């Protein structure tokens, strides 16, 4: 890690936090032609390519056999992310970032992958523009590529036992498609739930808007800001190996944001409490850590 402006330790801890594995089982698929009909009951319409799924043993070695059945797709709201950092100057929101961004796609229940599959700039060159907009690094200490590389190493390599994910390019391509599909901003907006410095929202109302799209197992996460307010910052959705929404496979249910990683330099998110309304702050590029003051 070649951090320039933040101590390596802090940036490492922050990175660990962002990459923390939470995960379970999983899935499947695809090919360049990925069309996701991710409605909870749309699995049938999905994967023509499912039949092409192979397991890792054919691809590389047994250590990488798919042990997972579900994936967790995690999107973060930049307007809340920066509030989670202990040292606010470590946060930045690039000018072209105005929407929900990708945090990661994690095989569920897998604690760590391996460094056995290095990733290079050239692997995702063709996706660079979209990744830069939809998968930015919000830490000043970490370049976007470092973030992608860390996610690939920590989660992508574990997902690669499924043919549709078996290269950095495919993995990131799928993530971008999922991001396109999961248009949280628009869904919430249609229900009158928009970023605001004043308005408070309840888990139950946000959840009822998201459930038809993300399934019942989605999780709405908050951080607690310096004034003790609950602030929306992340949404997690479970997907099957087919990339259909909702994954009921039982297994390791440790989906905590810090699963597998040590204490970081900032509080980790938590499920927004059901009895405490939370804020959905706007994105403030000038003062990302104080969007409303
Ligand atoms: C926050 O980080 C900046 C830059 O790394 C550093 O100069 C500053 O002292 C830090 N502030 C706190 C409160 O740790
Ligand atoms: C994936 O899709 C195929 C074909 O639609 C289906 O037969 C299979 O049960 C699905 N698998 C999962 C884990 O949902
Ligand atoms: C987020 O993206 C959606 C479309 O994907 C768009 O309709 C919406 O206006 C965007 N939100 C912001 C704050 O730009
Ligand atoms: C980038 O995103 C746009 C719209 O979100 C999409 O139309 C385009 O195909 C994407 N490009 C790549 C290379 O994925």
């Amino acid at each position: 890690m070649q951090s320039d402006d933040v101590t390596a330790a802090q940036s490492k801890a922050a990175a660990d936090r962002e990459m923390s594995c939470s995960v379970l089982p999983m899935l499947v698929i695809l090919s360049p032609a990925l069309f996701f009909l991710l409605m909870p009951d749309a699995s049938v319409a999905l994967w023509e390519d499912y039949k092409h799924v192979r397991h890792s043993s054919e691809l590389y070695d047994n250590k990488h056999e798919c042990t997972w059945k579900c994936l967790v797709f995690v999107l973060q709201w930049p307007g809340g992310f920066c509030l989670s950092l202990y040292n606010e100057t470590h946060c930045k929101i690039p000018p072209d970032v105005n929407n929900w961004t990708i945090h990661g796609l994690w095989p569920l229940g897998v604690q760590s992958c391996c460094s056995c599959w290095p990733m290079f700039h050239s692997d995702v060159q063709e996706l660079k523009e979209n990744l830069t907009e939809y998968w930015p690094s919000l830490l000043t200490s970490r370049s976007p590529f470092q973030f992608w590389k860390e996610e690939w190493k920590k989660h992508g390599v574990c997902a690669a036992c499924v043919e549709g994910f078996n290269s950095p390019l495919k993995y990131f391509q799928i993530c971008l498609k999922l991001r396109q599909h999961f248009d949280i901003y628009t869904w919430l907006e249609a229900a009158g739930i928009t970023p605001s410095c004043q308005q408070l929202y309840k888990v139950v109302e946000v959840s009822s808007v998201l459930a038809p799209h993300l399934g019942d197992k989605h999780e709405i996460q908050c951080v607690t800001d310096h004034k003790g307010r609950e602030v929306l910052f992340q949404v997690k959705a479970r997907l099957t190996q087919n990339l259909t929404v909702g994954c009921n496979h039982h297994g390791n249910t440790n989906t905590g944001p810090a699963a597998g990683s040590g204490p970081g330099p900032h509080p980790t998110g938590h499920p927004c409490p059901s009895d405490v309304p939370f804020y959905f702050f706007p994105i403030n590029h000038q003062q990302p850590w104080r969007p409303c003051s």
Side-chain angles (χ1 to χ4, degrees):
M1 184 159 311
Q2 38 182 6
S3 314
D4 29 35
D5 42 357
V6 174
T7 70
Q10 279 177 314
S11 108
K12 165 78 164 58
D16 284 350
R17 171 175 168 275
E18 283 211 10
M19 298 187 300
S20 59
C21 274
S22 52
V23 194
L24 277 184
M26 178 30 143
L27 23 122
V28 177
I29 28 58
L30 326 169
S31 66
L34 312 168
F35 291 99
F36 307 93
L37 298 177
L38 295 164
M39 297 297 103
D41 56 354
S43 53
V44 184
L46 279 185
W47 309 103
E48 254 312 290
D49 292 332
Y50 191 60
K51 55 182 179 245
H52 300 305
V53 170
R54 279 181 296 163
H55 287 279
S56 58
S57 48
E58 299 171 59
L59 302 172
Y60 43 135
D61 66 83
N62 291 335
K63 267 193 347 207
H64 305 291
E65 246 174 78
C66 278
T67 55
W68 49 275
K69 298 278 187 286
C70 303
L71 291 166
V72 179
F73 185 55
V74 188
L75 289 169
Q76 60 191 11
W77 177 247
F81 177 84
C82 294
L83 305 182
S84 74
L85 304 180
Y86 280 132
N87 189 329
E88 34 200 48
T89 67
H90 294 175
C91 200
K92 59 155 193 260
I93 302 178
D96 56 342
V97 171
N98 294 293
N99 224 311
W100 288 81
T101 62
I102 299 167
H103 178 164
L105 179 64
W106 311 334
L108 190 55
V110 178
Q111 290 307 312
S112 67
C113 299
C114 67
S115 305
C116 52
W117 195 332
M119 172 179 161
F120 302 95
H121 283 274
S122 57
D123 289 328
V124 291
Q125 191 53 43
E126 65 191 82
L127 303 178
K128 203 168 173 202
E129 203 177 313
N130 283 1
L131 284 175
T132 300
E133 177 172 358
Y134 294 109
W135 201 331
S137 166
L138 301 177
L139 294 177
T140 52
S141 59
R142 184 177 56 187
S143 73
F145 183 73
Q146 279 175 322
F147 188 18
W148 308 333
K149 200 170 149 177
E150 287 160 4
E151 289 289 316
W152 166 251
K153 177 176 153 186
K154 189 140 185 188
H155 306 288
V157 174
C158 287
C161 54
V162 166
E163 186 175 19
F165 292 119
N166 69 347
S167 74
L169 177 61
K170 288 187 193 174
Y171 176 76
F172 287 98
Q173 232 163 13
I174 288 173
C175 289
L176 284 172
K177 292 272 186 188
L178 288 170
R179 167 59 188 81
Q180 242 177 295
H181 187 86
F182 289 137
D183 196 356
I184 294 180
Y185 191 91
T186 303
W187 297 335
L188 293 180
E189 187 180 38
I193 299 170
T194 53
S196 162
C197 288
Q198 286 87 39
Q199 189 66 46
L200 282 160
Y201 298 105
K202 293 189 185 128
V203 170
V204 64
E205 62 182 317
V206 172
S207 188
S208 68
V209 172
L210 299 182
H213 304 285
L214 303 182
D216 293 337
K217 296 226 172 204
H218 67 273
E219 184 174 307
I220 297 167
Q221 293 198 315
C222 282
V223 291
T224 307
D225 79 356
H226 67 293
K227 289 184 176 167
R229 298 175 294 196
E230 293 295 326
V231 181
L232 175 64
F233 98 115
Q234 195 158 269
V235 167
K236 292 181 172 185
R238 281 212 197 174
L239 306 175
T240 65
Q241 290 195 347
N242 281 5
L243 296 186
T244 52
V245 166
C247 186
N248 296 316
H249 195 272
H250 295 293
N252 183 349
T253 53
N254 182 6
T255 56
S261 67
H266 43 65
T268 52
H270 49 262
C272 298
S274 56
D275 54 342
V276 181
F278 57 84
Y279 288 93
F280 177 20
F281 283 153
I283 291 170
N284 180 328
H285 296 90
Q286 283 69 49
Q287 277 197 288
W289 50 90
R290 288 279 186 278
C292 294
S293 54

